[in-house]
Amino acid sequence: MKLSAEQIAQIKSWISKRGFTHTDVQYEIIDHVASAIEDKMDKDPDLTLEIAFKQVHKSFGVFGFQTIEESIASKLNKELRDSYGRGIKQIFSSEKLFIPILFILSLITFYQSFPEYFKVFCQSIFIASTVGALIYYFVQYRQKKYIKNYLSFKMAIAIIPNILVVVGNLSINFLKNIHPNYAVVIFSILVIVVYAIILGTNQMIEKTEKLHKLYKSN
């Protein structure tokens, strides 16, 4: 037998009640269990949907659907790392390279012109970058409400506050205590890395939006 849309919705509700609330995880679990439920109900027409679901859930062992969620999270982590790598390639193979170049040139120019204010200038850049990153973070959450329950979106956007913590620690505990020449080099590397991560994050968000459209069309 073929499960109806109403039965799929009921399965999705049961999956959610078991603590799996991310939309993409729910649909992935449904992909794994729907055919198994159909097979069971074909073999035993008197079997109810709920009992068939419980039997299939039990077949996944002690951890149940958690193994599927962990597999999805592991896959998404790899996709995120790959997207950051593509972000770096995109920077060095397109006109986007001009953005970090202009930033690096501005650092060098400022240091040569006002060496006594260079550390203050770096601190100002960090504060401005932090504000910009926070604005990006909250704008994404506000504009992408329709995908906020996707694990892929949450994992992609979560990197932003983590970046702020890392860069903040470097700025406060390390960069202010080293020679400006080294600070220029480190800041330049950070700019490229952060820019690549933002590009990679955007790629993952776009992929999540495509997945959302696919789910809605089915």
Side-chain angles (χ1 to χ4, degrees):
M1 64 167 292
K2 182 72 173 177
L3 294 176
S4 66
E6 291 77 13
Q7 288 174 316
I8 293 293
Q10 182 61 69
I11 292 171
K12 187 171 178 285
S13 174
W14 288 331
I15 291 170
S16 179
K17 288 177 181 178
R18 279 169 167 75
F20 302 95
T21 57
H22 295 114
T23 305
D24 43 354
V25 173
Q26 290 175 347
Y27 277 103
E28 189 71 25
I29 292 174
I30 288 172
D31 285 343
H32 281 78
V33 305
S35 59
I37 290 175
E38 290 171 351
D39 289 343
K40 284 183 176 295
M41 295 180 74
D42 279 336
K43 293 176 182 177
D44 185 358
D46 295 327
L47 197 66
T48 64
L49 179 66
E50 184 175 6
I51 292 175
F53 174 79
K54 288 180 179 178
Q55 289 179 356
V56 171
H57 179 261
K58 187 176 180 180
S59 70
F60 279 85
V62 177
F63 297 104
F65 299 144
Q66 185 178 341
T67 54
I68 298 177
E69 185 175 50
E70 290 174 351
S71 175
I72 295 170
S74 176
K75 179 183 176 183
L76 288 173
N77 269 320
K78 183 180 183 304
E79 289 181 2
L80 275 170
R81 291 194 298 269
D82 291 344
S83 70
Y84 301 150
R86 289 193 298 271
I88 291 176
K89 290 180 181 179
Q90 192 176 353
I91 290 172
F92 286 100
S93 61
S94 70
E95 67 280 357
K96 289 182 174 63
L97 183 61
F98 288 109
I99 294 177
I101 286 178
L102 287 174
F103 181 84
I104 293 167
L105 289 176
S106 70
L107 280 177
I108 295 172
T109 301
F110 192 93
Y111 173 60
Q112 291 175 341
S113 302
F114 311 101
E116 67 275 17
Y117 299 113
F118 181 73
K119 290 183 178 180
V120 175
F121 180 61
C122 288
Q123 293 293 328
S124 300
I125 290 175
F126 167 70
I127 293 172
S129 301
T130 299
V131 172
L134 288 174
I135 291 173
Y136 171 83
Y137 181 81
F138 288 112
V139 165
Q140 289 294 335
Y141 253 113
R142 185 175 181 83
Q143 292 183 345
K144 312 293 183 182
K145 287 182 178 180
Y146 53 93
I147 57 172
K148 68 178 183 179
N149 287 328
Y150 283 72
L151 182 61
S152 54
F153 174 73
K154 288 185 178 180
M155 290 180 65
I157 204 72
I159 192 66
I160 304 301
N162 291 334
I163 291 175
L164 295 180
V165 172
V166 172
V167 175
N169 286 333
L170 280 173
S171 179
I172 294 171
N173 301 317
F174 181 65
L175 291 178
K176 69 178 182 179
N177 297 319
I178 65 174
H179 191 278
N181 287 339
Y182 297 119
V184 169
V185 174
I186 294 172
F187 256 112
S188 301
I189 294 172
L190 282 174
V191 167
I192 293 173
V193 170
V194 171
Y195 190 29
I197 287 174
I198 290 175
L199 290 174
T201 298
N202 285 336
Q203 290 174 18
M204 183 59 74
I205 291 174
E206 289 172 2
K207 186 173 182 178
T208 303
E209 289 179 316
K210 290 179 181 177
L211 190 62
H212 174 71
K213 291 179 181 177
L214 178 63
Y215 289 154
K216 286 298 181 183
S217 65
N218 293 334

